[in-house]
Amino acid sequence: MDTRPEDARLPYYEDPSPGSGTLPARAWYATSDAARLSLGGPWAFRLSATAEGADTAFVQDEADTADWQEVTVPGHWVLQGHGAPAYTNVRYPFPIDPPRVPAENPTGDHRHVFDLPERWPTDGEAVLRFDGVESCARVWLNGRELGTFQGSRLPHEFAVGDLLRREGNVLAVRVHQWSAGSYLEDQDMWWLPGIFRDVTLLHRPEHSPADFTVHAGYDHTTGQGTLRVDCVPGGRITVPELGLDLPTGEERTLPVEPWTAETPRLYQAELATEGERIPLRVGFRTLTLEDGLFKANGRRILFRGVNRHEFHPETGRALDLDTMRRDILLMKQHNINAVRTSHYPPHPAFLDLCDELGLWVIDECDLETHGFCELEDWRGNPVADDRFTPALLDRARRMVERDKNHPSVVIWSLGNECGSGPGLSAMARWIRERDPSRAVHYENDRACPDSDFYSRMYASHEEVELIGRRAEDPLPDPEADARRRALPFILCEYAHAMGNGPGGLSEYQRLFETHERLQGGFVWEWIDHGLPKRTEDGRPYFAYGGDFGEELHDGNFVCDGLLFPDRTPSPGLVEYKKVIEPVHITGDPELGTVALTNGHDFADLSHLAFTWTYEIDGERVAEGELKVPALAPGASAELALPERPASDLPGEAVWTVRATLARTLPWAAEGHLVAWGQLQVPGTATPPERRRGTGALVAPARADEGIALGPGVFDPSTGALTRLGGLAIDAPPRLDVWRAPTDNDLGASWQSDARHGLRWQEIGLHRMRHRVDAVDAEGDALTVRTRVAPAATDLGLLTDYRWTAAEDELRLTVTVTPQGDWPCPLPRLGLLLGLPAAHRLARWFGGGPGEAYPDTRAAAALGRYELPVDAMQTPYVRPQENGARADVRWAELRTDDGHGLRVTADPEPFWLTARRWTSAELHAAEHTPDLVPGDTVWLTLDHAQHGIGSQSCGPGPLPQYHLIAAPARFSLAFSEVTGGAGA
């Protein structure tokens, strides 16, 4: 509670109002013929521990700043050696007592001296613009205070024309890390104070636009667009390509090509008043909510989206244009068509790029009060506190006015995870009145009183299917229930991409494509927010919460993106690209046909070229073009494949059909892969007996080294394989059921589902003991009977190893029989063996090229692959299970001279993992430098793996991906490779 005397005035940084002295919000535009001056660059800087810790003499011309430091603006001072960043997900890192903040309030004084350019105009007005300051700023120019503001990721402008001088202008800005506004900015990210977006001086000529609004609708029934530009003062709008030249405020209708995310057609235009000319890009499109669906230009949209925080590992939320463009190019290249700007409006230039390159945008207000959920009934929540309502409305107004002219922005979002309250309703009312052309979104109130969507986070597949059928559990209020049941549905967050995962994407996508009410979702999230650090000996790694001495933090929950911090795509992004690809390729190889469906919402297939390849055991036999008609959106066709190419090669045959860009587009070059499908030809798989050889079995025999069986030598007391031909076995094959838990295995504390990763450790699967009960060398087999079990429980796995040999090959059949009442699935079920570290090269025929798990395998294409063992690892910011390859028919681990081990499926394919550290070392590691390669290559050959899911914040693996402890039997063949190219 507020403990100040009732008559005491709060300091400006604790005042819940949005600030003072700023100009009304208006549209942003990148350029015009009016003069502008960027004030970015090195600024003098002083850091104080408290808000009142330093005087304000620095605002004066004669201020002595000789002992000050320097920071770069835009930037965050904690990323430039002043203080430290801190990460929390939900919890505020200060006592909750709105609008009060702690006395410990890091405060950065910034000072910048600048001259006006020689040709800076002397007439008109000038405006000083701040595009983003966290979290509260007080501003002076040439000794005069201009005002204060809060709202970190929103623009604020001051009129300064009468204060400017030709030389020696002193701009002084005091920035507080904590303010009343901090209660509105609990947005699951690093707390990073500073002036982190552009600071610009703008000349405002007399008669230049105070503001303008572009209205550009499209009638899909007639193919005509209607343009009107409202502007004060009036002027003219010209669109040369359309032959348009009309006064502002007047409307004109004519044939146009519409704007969509798939076909981002923009018309170059110019708004001209007496005082200023502003280049514009106009996109014609109309948004509607009808028949329970959200539509653009008369068609339902399916969002294949992602949530995007602004982040760069070196500069935090201070992003340059190249980084923004790179993000959008990566999204487009991975078939993403939509972005939710979680949880604040992005840098305005990002939306220009979305207009240009084509993305649907949910523009989200700079608002989240999630930390109040820690209190009973969200006690004290600012959205239910009238004192904060002006600030809420100010934030909504600044977002809408800034971004209203972007065709890419199709939905306004009130904010994120704020519970419910009248402040949100006030925002929604204002937005609808100001801009009825767009929909309004809000997720965190299940009754949806302020939202045009039924929006959810992390709903299970089962619940999403019920919602798709409009059969979800009813609300208590029948009227509210009927309203919500009529709304379109989106998952504004799903598939939590933390560490290895997310799993279950394919099943979600099938639901989206089956039920029209389900209009897609937005994966959480785009990028891992890892910050660069180095070990004491200089090895680099990415840090997360707790690595900067925070007393309160949420660990690596800040690393939950589809990109690694350096913007390298993760396996999760590769999987997502495959799952959401806009062309579906299936077929019947027995009939020699391929079926294609155009999954685009607006574009036909004329921009794509189709090719086929025919491979046998991963060797390309033939290839060619496939003639595909320019199918309309939603249309399908069945086409004949060529005659099966003749070949003497034995082995498994597969057709691969690929859709690539037929020409270079702004977001990717000609030949870029958009979609693909594989058709395995029935009856061509190599029979097990041909893969493993057909020689007669040989009997085990006593030898000086132990028991000899074909090329193998075994320890007579343990039955352990010690040698295969000339190959020494560092660690003999034995049953393995443990994996270093993934973030999704460990789950989240608020999850009601079983958290299997924790249960595995409680049971002791990471410390299994192997007891040998018998070693029998009888007939043509060596059989080793064992029991594999953890301590302190009667759970166990009776495991028999039956070895046989023919010619120069060992064959192993493993039989596993569970004992006891197993309370959870197993992490994995397979064999672990160790080879000398020189076996650093892996080759395999199976799924690839990247990692896959049972519910993340859509992107695994059958083929031949070769990688160094070290390149098979996935460098998750927090190390965990990774690197498995699916559906492996055979694999080889070789030394540089070509010698090594070959493992062949007998007959079922296996999962392959190879790494130079143990699962125990992987589990113990907190950061990537903790993993130090050892003298052994550890090879895991799995019969089965447990699924991944997304339980770090969402549902766990679907039941069909649970590896239930049940009787199992699997076989593999082992042979020595003695050099050369191999299979």
Side-chain angles (χ1 to χ4, degrees):
M1 59 180 292
D2 191 347
T3 56
R4 292 174 69 93
E6 288 187 11
D7 59 349
R9 180 178 176 82
L10 289 171
Y12 64 92
Y13 52 84
E14 291 186 323
D15 188 337
S17 67
S20 62
T22 57
L23 295 171
R26 65 189 182 103
W28 181 90
Y29 47 94
T31 187
S32 78
D33 66 347
R36 61 177 57 204
L37 175 65
S38 171
L39 300 180
W43 287 40
F45 177 78
R46 174 182 64 185
L47 182 63
S48 301
T50 68
E52 309 295 345
D55 60 33
T56 58
F58 75 102
V59 310
Q60 303 299 328
D61 289 5
E62 63 276 11
D64 181 7
T65 60
D67 60 347
W68 284 35
Q69 306 295 313
E70 189 176 271
V71 295
T72 297
V73 172
H76 305 279
W77 70 68
V78 294
L79 299 185
Q80 299 183 53
H82 309 283
Y87 166 66
T88 61
N89 169 26
V90 174
R91 299 171 294 176
Y92 290 101
F94 48 79
I96 298 177
D97 183 21
R100 307 296 308 283
V101 296
E104 300 85 357
N105 188 357
T107 295
D109 289 331
H110 300 68
R111 191 173 190 270
H112 184 60
V113 180
F114 66 93
D115 300 333
L116 294 179
E118 184 177 341
R119 296 187 178 181
W120 188 267
T122 57
D123 61 340
E125 177 59 276
V127 167
L128 179 63
R129 181 182 182 94
F130 293 86
D131 279 306
V133 180
E134 184 174 333
S135 74
C136 175
R138 184 180 179 191
V139 184
W140 296 262
L141 181 63
N142 293 331
R144 184 183 304 177
E145 183 170 351
L146 302 179
T148 65
F149 62 84
Q150 300 175 35
S152 298
R153 284 151 285 277
L154 293 161
H156 297 84
E157 294 182 331
F158 298 96
V160 297
D162 62 331
L163 298 178
L164 290 173
R165 51 200 186 204
R166 280 292 170 186
E167 296 180 343
N169 292 282
V170 178
L171 176 57
V173 186
R174 171 163 286 178
V175 179
H176 305 286
Q177 175 158 15
W178 308 125
S179 68
S182 300
Y183 286 101
L184 307 180
E185 297 173 359
D186 185 23
Q187 291 149 316
D188 184 14
M189 58 188 184
W190 293 102
W191 297 91
L192 300 175
I195 304 172
F196 67 95
R197 286 186 184 162
D198 305 306
V199 182
T200 312
L201 185 67
L202 303 168
H203 179 238
R204 306 307 300 134
E206 190 175 357
H207 306 300
S208 62
D211 196 14
F212 62 93
T213 304
V214 177
H215 306 273
Y218 178 75
D219 186 337
H220 66 279
T221 64
T222 65
Q224 293 197 316
T226 300
L227 178 65
R228 185 182 85 247
V229 177
D230 296 330
C231 180
V232 178
R236 299 194 71 82
I237 182 75
T238 55
V239 188
E241 190 176 352
L242 297 175
L244 278 182
D245 184 348
L246 67 155
T248 58
E250 289 192 10
E251 197 169 87
R252 187 69 56 84
T253 299
L254 72 171
V256 298
E257 297 174 48
W259 188 97
T260 74
E262 295 169 5
T263 56
R265 181 66 160 94
L266 293 172
Y267 290 88
Q268 301 297 323
E270 184 180 75
L271 169 63
T273 66
E274 244 183 88
E276 187 177 18
R277 293 180 176 273
I278 302 171
L280 302 178
R281 296 187 297 184
V282 176
F284 292 88
R285 57 110 183 93
T286 292
L287 308 168
T288 56
L289 285 157
E290 56 184 358
D291 305 323
L293 300 175
F294 179 63
K295 297 181 179 180
N297 303 335
R299 297 186 65 91
R300 167 188 180 263
I301 298 173
L302 180 59
F303 292 120
R304 302 170 172 92
V306 68
N307 284 274
R308 175 185 177 268
H309 268 295
E310 292 188 312
F311 180 76
H312 188 284
E314 301 289 344
T315 59
R317 286 186 286 278
L319 267 59
D320 61 20
L321 197 61
D322 286 345
T323 300
M324 299 178 217
R325 180 178 288 274
R326 185 179 176 191
D327 276 351
I328 297 178
L329 293 180
L330 280 168
M331 290 178 190
K332 295 285 289 188
Q333 290 164 7
H334 287 85
N335 294 328
I336 291 167
N337 72 355
V339 62
R340 175 181 176 229
T341 67
S342 51
H343 298 295
Y344 43 83
H347 190 291
F350 179 80
L351 298 178
D352 263 3
L353 293 170
C354 292
D355 295 342
E356 173 190 328
L357 297 169
L359 286 175
W360 306 112
V361 176
I362 297 181
D363 197 352
E364 188 148 275
C365 196
D366 190 12
L367 177 61
E368 181 172 340
T369 65
H370 201 176
F372 286 88
C373 77
E374 302 283 324
L375 308 180
E376 184 178 359
D377 296 326
W378 290 68
R379 184 175 61 251
N381 188 358
V383 303
D385 183 340
D386 291 344
R387 295 176 298 171
F388 281 91
T389 300
L392 302 178
L393 289 170
D394 180 73
R395 288 170 185 245
R397 184 180 300 112
R398 290 185 182 279
M399 172 183 70
V400 170
E401 299 296 359
R402 191 196 78 168
D403 298 341
K404 58 182 176 276
N405 294 327
H406 291 283
S408 59
V409 175
V410 294
I411 299 169
W412 302 116
S413 180
L414 302 181
N416 185 64
E417 292 177 318
C418 295
S420 60
L424 293 167
S425 299
M427 295 170 69
R429 284 193 300 273
W430 184 89
I431 291 173
R432 287 194 171 96
E433 182 177 342
R434 177 65 183 92
D435 181 20
S437 72
R438 292 179 173 95
V440 175
H441 167 269
Y442 182 67
E443 178 273 338
N444 211 215
D445 188 335
R446 292 287 179 89
C448 306
D450 303 310
S451 179
D452 294 317
F453 297 86
Y454 180 22
S455 177
R456 289 286 301 283
M457 296 180 180
Y458 308 109
S460 68
H461 298 80
E462 180 182 16
E463 185 179 7
V464 170
E465 182 168 18
L466 287 173
I467 294 169
R469 295 193 278 111
R470 302 188 190 269
E472 66 268 25
D473 291 340
L475 293 169
D477 180 346
E479 185 176 343
D481 181 70
R483 180 186 179 277
R484 190 184 75 176
R485 207 172 293 274
L487 297 177
F489 177 82
I490 60 172
L491 278 170
C492 68
E493 294 180 20
Y494 82 116
H496 198 251
M498 185 176 178
N500 188 334
L505 286 169
S506 295
E507 289 77 12
Y508 275 118
Q509 193 66 21
R510 281 198 285 272
L511 291 172
F512 299 156
E513 294 172 357
T514 299
H515 303 284
E516 68 173 6
R517 185 191 188 190
L518 306 179
Q519 295 201 233
F522 296 78
V523 168
W524 186 267
E525 66 168 307
W526 178 235
I527 188 169
D528 287 344
H529 301 208
L531 293 173
K533 289 191 80 173
R534 289 184 178 271
T535 61
E536 290 184 359
D537 59 357
R539 289 174 295 152
Y541 66 97
F542 289 109
Y544 46 76
D547 288 334
F548 296 92
E550 307 103 300
E551 63 181 14
L552 193 69
H553 66 85
D554 286 298
N556 68 310
F557 205 76
V558 76
C559 294
D560 49 8
L562 294 170
L563 295 180
F564 293 115
D566 62 1
R567 282 182 162 73
T568 300
S570 74
L573 181 56
V574 176
E575 176 81 355
Y576 193 41
K577 174 184 179 178
K578 174 59 180 170
V579 167
I580 62 175
E581 61 189 8
V583 182
H584 305 306
I585 302 172
T586 58
D588 188 333
E590 200 160 15
L591 295 177
T593 59
V594 59
L596 298 103
T597 298
N598 181 4
H600 290 91
D601 295 325
F602 299 92
D604 64 22
L605 298 186
S606 59
H607 65 293
L608 298 176
F610 291 81
T611 59
W612 59 266
T613 60
Y614 185 79
E615 294 180 340
I616 297 177
D617 265 17
E619 299 249 358
R620 184 165 299 185
V621 173
E623 60 187 345
E625 295 182 7
L626 186 68
K627 299 295 183 182
V628 175
L631 296 174
S636 299
E638 187 173 81
L639 307 172
L641 289 166
E643 288 291 325
R644 192 186 303 178
S647 174
D648 295 331
L649 286 175
E652 190 170 357
V654 61
W655 295 95
T656 303
V657 176
R658 296 178 175 87
T660 61
L661 289 183
R663 62 184 184 279
T664 295
L665 296 177
W667 50 270
E670 178 183 349
H672 168 76
L673 181 64
V674 173
W676 59 272
Q678 287 191 316
L679 310 174
Q680 292 177 237
V681 180
T684 61
T686 304
E689 62 272 13
R690 287 181 56 194
R691 284 204 304 267
R692 68 190 182 202
T694 57
L697 297 180
V698 298
R702 292 283 176 176
D704 293 339
E705 295 180 273
I707 299 174
L709 179 64
V713 177
F714 296 81
D715 184 297
S717 61
T718 64
L721 177 67
T722 60
R723 180 169 294 279
L724 178 64
L727 174 63
I729 306 296
D730 281 7
R734 68 178 187 176
L735 190 73
D736 188 30
V737 296
W738 172 248
R739 73 184 187 196
T742 68
D743 292 314
N744 287 309
D745 290 336
L746 294 171
S749 59
W750 57 87
Q751 295 289 347
S752 59
D753 294 345
R755 298 168 66 189
H756 294 133
L758 298 182
R759 198 73 181 98
W760 296 337
Q761 295 174 75
E762 291 168 0
I763 294 171
L765 299 189
H766 57 306
R767 46 177 172 77
M768 300 292 274
R769 298 291 180 260
H770 298 251
R771 186 185 74 209
V772 177
D773 291 335
V775 179
D776 298 325
E778 296 180 357
D780 56 8
L782 173 67
T783 302
V784 183
R785 305 188 190 282
T786 71
R787 187 175 189 269
V788 182
T793 176
D794 63 354
L795 299 173
L797 300 166
L798 295 180
T799 306
D800 292 351
Y801 306 88
R802 187 176 188 274
W803 292 94
T804 60
E807 299 177 343
D808 56 358
E809 183 177 73
L810 281 177
R811 304 172 193 167
L812 172 61
T813 296
V814 182
T815 305
V816 180
T817 305
Q819 287 184 317
D821 186 12
W822 284 79
C824 62
L826 297 173
R828 69 184 341 137
L829 184 68
L831 295 174
L832 175 67
L833 68 148
L835 299 175
H839 294 79
R840 63 184 191 85
L841 299 174
R843 301 175 67 239
W844 73 96
F845 175 45
E851 77 177 25
Y853 289 82
D855 54 350
T856 66
R857 65 194 297 173
L862 182 62
R864 284 200 192 199
Y865 302 99
E866 182 171 345
L867 282 174
V869 167
D870 288 349
M872 296 180 72
Q873 316 311 306
T874 303
Y876 293 113
V877 174
R878 186 192 73 80
Q880 56 198 271
E881 166 65 30
N882 71 87
R885 267 59 178 184
D887 298 319
V888 175
R889 277 67 165 164
W890 57 258
E892 295 175 350
L893 271 292
R894 294 184 178 228
T895 61
D896 289 342
D897 63 5
H899 289 76
L901 173 71
R902 180 182 175 99
V903 183
T904 305
D906 187 18
E908 296 178 9
F910 57 91
W911 301 82
L912 169 69
T913 309
R915 56 175 68 107
R916 293 202 289 161
W917 38 75
T918 66
S919 290
E921 292 167 332
L922 186 59
H923 177 43
E926 294 183 350
H927 299 92
T928 50
D930 297 337
L931 294 170
V932 179
D935 295 331
T936 301
V937 172
W938 294 98
L939 190 62
T940 309
L941 312 168
D942 285 315
H943 170 63
Q945 280 261 8
H946 184 64
I948 296 295
S950 61
Q951 202 179 353
S952 53
C953 195
L958 286 162
Q960 61 265 37
Y961 300 119
H962 285 203
L963 177 52
I964 302 301
R969 181 185 176 92
F970 58 95
S971 300
L972 295 168
F974 299 85
S975 57
E976 183 184 11
V977 179
T978 56

